[in-house]
Amino acid sequence: MTRNPALSLIGWITCCLIAGPAIADNEATASTQSNPTRPSPTRPNIVWIIPDDMSANFSCYGETAIETPNVDALAAGGVQFNRAFVTAPVCSTCRSAFITGMYQTSIGAHHHRSGRGERKIELPASIQLVPKMFQDAGYYTTISGWPNRGKRLGKTDYNFQWDASVYDGTDWSERKPGQPFFAQIQTKGGKMRGKDASGWSRIHEQAEKTLGSRTSEDVVQLPPYYPQHPDLVTDWAAYLDSVRMTDHMVGEVLQRLEDEGIRENTLVLFMTDHGISHARGKQFLYDEGIHVPLVISGPGIQPGTVRNDVVEHIDIAALSLGAAGIEVPTWMQAQDILADDYQPRDAVFAARDRCDETVDHIRSVRTADFKYIRNFLPQRPHLQPCAYKDAKAILIALRQWHDAGKLDAIQELIFRPTRPAEELYDLAADPYEINNLADVPGYQDKLAEMRSRLDRWMEDTGDQGRQMESAAMYDSDMEEYLRKFRKPDGDKAHMRVIESNIALMKKWAAEGK
């Protein structure tokens, strides 16, 4: 794809530019087309800031309970994508996708924390990791947490075999003079709030110390599918403080770039790896799980741009390569959404498969106005047993109020013993995805259209999830999952829950559920 190079604002060398206009609303921006084999101090640095477990609860996205001045400023100085979605609503599958620019379902990386045991997952020979492509183009590549604490690499969590040498280090200060850099900064995001009261207190204390205040529970507004249980309200307030702390970290990164005099020549990208970890969020294909913030600022991007077309999180691979003048490989499924000749998508796709010990198989297609979800295992409950999520105080609270009959009809939906095979939501009329229209007569044409879109995508992209994970691979990964709990200091009670869930998964599979 060609890229609109409106980069003269930072004095780029004339021979590296192709004349063109700056971006406008719902159009794409551009960057240089420099030789990818020769490092040049004029090529932009690329910085990815990617927190865990966080939805688009930032002021620029309409959040009113808190203020997020740094992400807001980043958006005001660049482009804000209002409809950005992950293709996988859990860490490892999402990260396996964006680091290759490929759907996790196409490369066999669709099961969460897979290929970790004796049986490994190998990428197709043609697929390269994004940092390797930057390395080959002369960039210095890093991955770290924030703040950077030594030589330990930041979170990767890839589901396949890979070579750590694709990262040159953990800090761009170690690069050669004039060498451009590609830096991934991974932060804890929503995980900062922990899973129970001790974690909630900890993040509140951090917010008070760093920001001078904590988020009050009085400002919390839960989605209608969650009850006003005190633990859910307190947890959400703690989550909002994790958003505020994440915003503060963004400000620190931007300030460092300013202090080093390289901010103007650095493309800064802010995105989360999936939505909030909650009952209908992380691991599921409702918007709470797959809608993420995506804000990009840097050379050639017109400040104050807002995009409302649907984009996928894997696109950060292609747009980053394009910004550096590196040719986007033909095998890559990601698209350079900042390219001058980019043709906006009319739909995005997502997939959920096994998460830890819990087996599932869900696919979705989303347009600007409609969402279609297919549950391939409809005889299983939405809230299948999952040791990781069930240990969270918010899930314990939900189950308690369900057992006590304290949930209303909307809040009870996630406790149904089975699921509809198909779900269809009119997002304009029903943004919380509560009213399933799949059986409503007036929506049968739309249902058929969305069903067909998903079928074509699964076929065209070679969705490997159409075949169930082999028993040998499942057992291999479960052995690795349980290994740390079997150590003398391991949590034996948690281990027994996992073992019980594994047995249940196998029982249901044998019964055809």
Side-chain angles (χ1 to χ4, degrees), residues 441-456:
Y443 288 88
Q444 294 311 295
D445 288 345
K446 177 59 68 173
L447 178 67
E449 173 201 329
M450 300 293 275
R451 181 190 294 143
S452 179
R453 281 179 183 264
L454 184 62
D455 286 340
R456 287 197 305 271

Side-chain angles (χ1 to χ4, degrees), residues 34 48 54 64 115 132 144 190 196 267 284 342 373 437:
S34 57
W48 290 359
M54 190 166 286
T64 59
K132 173 60 175 171
S144 68
D196 52 27
L267 187 80
F284 292 101
Y342 171 67
I373 298 174
L437 304 173

Side-chain angles (χ1 to χ4, degrees), residues 327-389:
E327 184 176 359
V328 178
T330 56
W331 50 258
M332 188 173 279
Q333 293 164 327
Q335 298 185 41
D336 183 354
I337 56 178
L338 299 183
D340 190 49
D341 59 353
Y342 171 67
Q343 297 297 313
R345 290 186 178 87
D346 56 9
V348 292
F349 301 86
R352 181 258 162 95
D353 293 276
R354 175 176 58 76
C355 289
D356 296 325
E357 79 275 19
T358 306
V359 175
D360 215 331
H361 183 193
I362 315 175
R363 298 291 183 268
S364 72
V365 54
R366 191 198 195 280
T367 63
D369 300 318
F370 281 87
K371 164 86 68 67
Y372 170 77
I373 298 174
R374 187 178 302 172
N375 294 297
F376 286 83
L377 301 176
Q379 294 307 307
R380 299 189 182 202
H382 177 90
L383 287 183
Q384 291 193 67
C386 176
Y388 163 73
K389 292 191 79 170

Side-chain angles (χ1 to χ4, degrees), residues 409-465:
I410 292 173
Q411 295 155 6
E412 279 287 353
L413 288 174
I414 58 174
F415 284 100
R416 290 173 295 183
T418 60
R419 286 174 279 182
E422 295 180 299
E423 300 174 58
L424 179 69
Y425 300 101
D426 180 344
L427 300 172
D430 180 24
Y432 290 111
E433 299 164 285
I434 294 170
N435 301 308
N436 182 11
L437 304 173
D439 293 329
V440 176
Y443 288 88
Q444 294 311 295
D445 288 345
K446 177 59 68 173
L447 178 67
E449 173 201 329
M450 300 293 275
R451 181 190 294 143
S452 179
R453 281 179 183 264
L454 184 62
D455 286 340
R456 287 197 305 271
W457 176 79
M458 290 189 295
E459 181 66 28
D460 292 346
T461 63
D463 182 354
Q464 296 188 35

